[in-house]
Amino acid sequence: MPTLDEVNNKSAARLNGLNPAVRAGTVALIQRSYEKGVPIVITQGLRTIAEQNALYAQGRTKPGPIVTHARGGTSYHNYGLAVDFALLLPDGRSVSWDMNRDGDKDTRSDWQEVIQEAKKLGFDWGGDWSSFKDYSHLQMDFGLSTKQLQAGMRPTAQQVNNALRRIDGGDDEVNKDIKVTVTLNGKKLTDGVLDSDTAYVPVRALAEALGAKVTYDAKTKSVHIVKE
């Protein structure tokens, strides 16, 4: 397997022009993936309007398969808010988009290992889209639509700082996009969320349903559960 420095060098040029948080998140993703035994390479970063239009023409007015539904100005790549990645193979030169590949032999898809880390860092994944799915696409949109970006709006300094804090480990924010229902003996108990295969539920609702008492010590920031 190539060294981390070699892996970083493969992507360095494609990090130019990215939003600071997107760039920091991408650097962290490359390192975290490598530490899991899954080297990746960034295949696309900032894309000009002209480059986007040329890509949009593919499969329409130019040869090749359709690879995007976004015209120039309607992609987050055009604003430095998105990257595309691929798996870097052991020879250090070839890449793969095989989502079932398990190169590190840990019984888990290398692709999904990368996506899991990306979501922890605050990226949204194109594979979660309901219509046209883009499995190599990762973005941070900061709540802005491409129409707003076209109109000149950009992420605020506070939004970027919050994202950087999360990437640096200073913000353990739980992703609340996946809602789950918690049941006890088949009866709904409470609602929770699922983030990176971990379920987060209100501790009081769960404990009291099991016959325990819950108290909170604000001074020590401790939750105490007592079952008599």
Side-chain angles (χ1 to χ4, degrees), residues 118-139:
K119 289 183 176 181
K120 289 179 183 178
L121 290 164
F123 283 104
D124 294 323
W125 179 40
D128 288 331
W129 294 345
S130 58
S131 54
F132 179 81
K133 294 184 180 293
D134 190 346
Y135 294 104
S136 65
H137 181 92
L138 301 167
Q139 69 182 41

Side-chain angles (χ1 to χ4, degrees), residues 5-224:
D5 283 342
E6 290 171 334
V7 171
N8 282 328
N9 289 337
K10 286 283 183 181
S11 300
R14 298 183 183 90
L15 304 186
N16 293 331
L18 293 177
N19 174 279
V22 177
R23 181 186 178 96
T26 303
V27 170
L29 179 62
I30 294 171
Q31 179 171 340
R32 289 190 186 187
S33 299
Y34 185 86
E35 290 171 353
K36 286 182 170 291
V38 185
I40 63 172
V41 62
I42 302 305
T43 58
Q44 284 282 300
L46 177 66
R47 192 184 293 148
T48 67
I49 302 296
E51 289 170 338
Q52 187 69 39
N53 283 329
L55 197 62
Y56 180 82
Q58 183 176 314
R60 296 179 175 87
T61 58
K62 293 183 178 180
I66 291 178
V67 293
T68 183
H69 289 304
R71 297 176 183 270
T74 65
S75 168
Y76 287 98
H77 281 284
N78 304 149
Y79 306 96
L81 299 178
V83 297
D84 293 339
F85 77 95
L87 304 176
L88 184 62
L89 297 182
D91 64 9
R93 298 186 302 275
S94 307
V95 298
S96 172
W97 287 269
D98 181 359
M99 293 178 61
N100 296 314
R101 176 180 169 77
D102 180 19
D104 56 352
K105 307 301 181 185
D106 63 354
T107 72
R108 300 177 62 199
S109 159
D110 293 347
W111 201 272
Q112 287 303 322
E113 288 186 77
V114 176
I115 297 305
Q116 183 180 58
E117 292 303 317
K119 289 183 176 181
K120 289 179 183 178
L121 290 164
F123 283 104
D124 294 323
W125 179 40
D128 288 331
W129 294 345
S130 58
S131 54
F132 179 81
K133 294 184 180 293
D134 190 346
Y135 294 104
S136 65
H137 181 92
L138 301 167
Q139 69 182 41
M140 293 184 188
D141 60 31
F142 299 94
L144 295 172
S145 68
T146 54
K147 285 187 177 180
Q148 290 174 315
L149 291 166
Q150 284 179 296
M153 293 183 65
R154 294 294 183 269
T156 66
Q158 186 61 55
Q159 285 178 309
V160 173
N161 287 336
N162 289 344
L164 288 169
R165 188 165 61 251
R166 178 174 181 175
I167 293 163
D168 292 337
D171 184 359
D172 297 325
E173 178 182 349
V174 176
N175 187 333
K176 300 178 181 179
D177 292 340
I178 304 177
K179 308 294 184 183
V180 296
T181 298
V182 181
T183 65
L184 179 62
N185 296 329
K187 183 178 179 180
K188 180 177 177 180
L189 179 61
T190 186
D191 292 317
V193 296
L194 185 69
D195 183 8
S196 301
D197 298 325
T198 299
Y200 296 85
V201 299
V203 65
R204 185 177 298 278
L206 185 59
E208 291 182 349
L210 296 173
K213 294 183 178 180
V214 179
T215 59
Y216 175 66
D217 187 331
K219 184 176 181 180
T220 61
K221 295 183 178 179
S222 302
V223 175
H224 302 286

